[in-house]
Amino acid sequence: MSSGSGADSAPAPTTHETLAEEPAAGARKSSMFSSLKVRNYRLFFMGQVVSNIGTWMQRIAQDWLVLSLTGSATAVGVTTALQFLPMLLFGLYGGVLVDRLPKRRTLLFTQSAMALTGIALAVLTLSGHVQVWHVYVAAFAVGLATVVDNPARQTFVSEMVGPDQLQNAVSLNSANFQSARLVGPAVAGVMITGVGTGWAFLLNGLSFVAPLAGLLLMRSRDLHAVHRAPRGKGQLREGLHYVAGRPELIWTIVLVGFVSTFGFNFPVYLSAFADDVFHAGAGSYSLFNTLMAVGSLAGALLAARRGTARMRVLVAGAVAFGTMEIVASMAPSLWLFALLMAPIGMFGMTVNVTANSSVQMSTDPAMRGRVMALYMMVFMGGAPIGAPIAGWITDAYGVRAGLAAGGVVSAVAAVTIGLVLARMGNLRLSVGWNRGHPSVRFVPRENRELAAVA
């Protein structure tokens, strides 16, 4: 299939370019918040700020409610797994639908469905009738809506801002989500200890009014036209073949799969560290999430300043992320563990933003829904596998062993994939100095003498 017109799609980089290429001299760099100049994206961004705060409140309240009802880290892992299981089972079909349907109308439907789910869980909790299976059902229902909502939101960004601002907008979306993470857990901690988890669920349901209003106020004429795929047979298979034929896509998705499945099980790890290791309450759990959000926000803003998404940044970020998890697993005190959440969040966000923007910018617009559905299926769908495993390791061997294992898998996967890509691109690792600073990068094998001079 063609790569699309230059107006809608960036050319897919080769393995050589994603690992080794330096920015061209005089390359144009956008400002950190340049995509907010676009009215439609500004409305979308503002609505997501409110909704994301509610989402983080519900995440904290949901994990704490399950832990309170069952006393089991495994049950928390099961809840997480149920929320992401639909993406694992149906994610690719959601991508096919997103490529066929108008994105704005699709988002109006999915956001409304998630709002109703939050309100229903609030009613059950506030009335005193909530049971753990109610939380399981609610988590699964949110997961079903997410099957379509996630690829629709991811691909709708390109329709709002166009290809020139795509990298910046993707980074700001992540910064938006992490900014809300600074507020949501803190408010949730206060509400849980003060008035109970039910009010957090209610506020999350009501918070969806903001993104729904933003979608309704957008100007259709200002959206960038994108060709929608017609109904037809073999579209799912076509999307898989498209990804399989592009190493820069498939290896990015594979690496994200390892990191998200085994390294991103923070609902299991952080609740267990707060409750079992440091014998603290919901306030400490919220503190861990808040400090991780500080690092994640810094990582997202740094990504917004970068002009391109390179594979070497992705690999290095994943290695650093895994290493910091191993270090945190051995932290002897609550405050040292809490402080380590910031670099873990920063490197984790580097992996997330770099992979997301790289995949979108390398994909034909007509295929973007299916490709992003596959990406999100791997990114989010790994939780049904990883979360129960993390919960079992935590219950059987302790949370320190669980967190360390996730870090080892993430780091080893990153190193292995980096070496595979370097070999495919005929590259080698160069360690030296660049402008007075240590430099570790991949360079073409034929440029040995140039690397030695640098």
Side-chain angles (χ1 to χ4, degrees):
M1 195 167 184
S2 68
S3 61
S5 64
D8 293 322
S9 172
T14 65
T15 302
H16 181 285
E17 290 171 333
T18 55
L19 277 171
E21 183 179 331
E22 295 294 333
R28 182 177 61 85
K29 291 186 178 181
S30 61
S31 66
M32 185 178 290
F33 304 102
S34 58
S35 55
L36 289 177
K37 297 176 183 177
V38 180
R39 179 182 181 274
N40 283 344
Y41 179 71
R42 191 164 60 248
L43 288 169
F44 176 84
F45 185 91
M46 293 168 63
Q48 290 298 308
V49 167
V50 178
S51 179
N52 285 336
I53 291 174
T55 296
W56 276 111
M57 291 177 62
Q58 174 146 330
R59 284 192 179 188
I60 300 300
Q62 175 179 281
D63 296 339
W64 199 257
L65 176 61
V66 171
L67 194 63
S68 300
L69 291 172
T70 66
S72 170
T74 301
V76 178
V78 170
T79 307
T80 303
L82 286 172
Q83 186 160 335
F84 296 117
L85 181 62
M87 181 63 72
L88 182 63
L89 297 177
F90 312 117
L92 291 176
Y93 296 98
V96 172
L97 288 175
V98 167
D99 278 338
R100 293 176 181 173
L101 299 174
K103 309 296 187 298
R104 185 160 62 143
R105 293 180 187 175
T106 301
L107 288 172
L108 285 168
F109 174 79
T110 56
Q111 297 278 296
S112 299
M114 287 189 283
L116 292 175
T117 302
I119 292 172
L121 190 56
V123 170
L124 286 169
T125 305
L126 292 172
S127 65
H129 294 96
V130 69
Q131 299 178 36
V132 69
W133 71 266
H134 292 145
V135 185
Y136 288 164
V137 171
F140 188 77
V142 170
L144 284 175
T146 301
V147 167
V148 176
D149 183 81
N150 252 304
R153 277 191 295 111
Q154 298 289 334
T155 56
F156 189 50
V157 172
S158 64
E159 293 189 27
M160 288 184 286
V161 303
D164 292 341
Q165 298 287 351
L166 181 58
Q167 163 81 12
N168 182 263
V170 169
S171 300
L172 289 183
N173 279 351
S174 297
N176 184 331
F177 191 66
Q178 299 307 322
S179 298
R181 190 177 181 181
L182 292 171
V183 180
V187 176
V190 172
M191 296 192 70
I192 290 171
T193 56
V195 294
T197 56
W199 292 101
F201 298 140
L202 180 61
L203 288 181
N204 174 58
L206 297 176
S207 72
F208 283 95
V209 171
L212 290 171
L215 289 166
L216 291 171
L217 290 172
M218 287 183 184
R219 296 171 181 164
S220 299
R221 65 179 182 273
D222 292 340
L223 295 174
H224 292 253
V226 174
H227 174 70
R228 294 205 302 268
R231 295 180 61 89
K233 295 182 179 180
Q235 290 180 324
L236 178 58
R237 185 169 58 252
E238 181 185 18
L240 293 174
H241 283 313
Y242 180 86
V243 173
R246 293 173 177 261
E248 74 279 0
L249 292 179
I250 194 166
W251 286 112
T252 297
I253 293 173
V254 168
L255 177 54
V256 165
F258 274 105
V259 174
S260 64
T261 299
F262 298 101
F264 278 8
N265 294 300
F266 296 114
V268 177
Y269 298 141
L270 300 189
S271 60
F273 263 99
D275 194 46
D276 300 333
V277 176
F278 301 120
H279 307 291
S284 294
Y285 180 42
S286 296
L287 174 65
F288 296 157
N289 281 277
T290 300
L291 290 175
M292 185 177 290
V294 171
S296 299
L297 178 59
L301 292 176
L302 287 172
R305 292 183 64 87
R306 287 195 293 267
T308 57
R310 293 183 178 81
M311 183 63 74
R312 68 169 179 267
V313 176
L314 174 62
V315 171
V319 172
F321 171 79
T323 302
M324 293 307 301
E325 283 199 329
I326 296 170
V327 173
S329 71
M330 299 181 285
S333 67
L334 184 150
W335 288 108
L336 180 57
F337 180 82
L339 290 175
L340 287 170
M341 293 301 100
I344 288 176
M346 183 180 70
F347 290 123
M349 185 51 56
T350 298
V351 173
N352 186 1
V353 172
T354 304
N356 188 309
S357 55
S358 176
V359 168
Q360 288 210 55
M361 295 172 71
S362 301
T363 303
D364 186 319
M367 301 292 295
R368 198 168 280 153
R370 279 162 282 183
V371 173
M372 289 308 299
L374 176 61
Y375 172 85
M376 296 307 300
M377 184 187 76
V378 172
F379 180 70
M380 301 178 64
I385 300 172
I389 293 175
W392 175 76
I393 294 175
T394 296
D395 287 339
Y397 301 102
V399 66
R400 292 186 184 276
L403 183 58
V408 169
V409 171
S410 299
V412 170
V415 170
T416 302
I417 290 173
L419 293 175
V420 168
L421 287 171
R423 186 176 182 85
M424 290 175 60
N426 194 31
L427 304 173
R428 67 180 183 85
L429 186 66
S430 172
V431 180
W433 290 85
N434 183 20
R435 298 178 182 176
H437 299 284
S439 172
V440 179
R441 59 196 177 99
F442 289 100
V443 297
R445 291 184 181 275
E446 61 269 24
N447 286 352
R448 289 177 181 268
E449 60 278 0
L450 293 179
V453 173

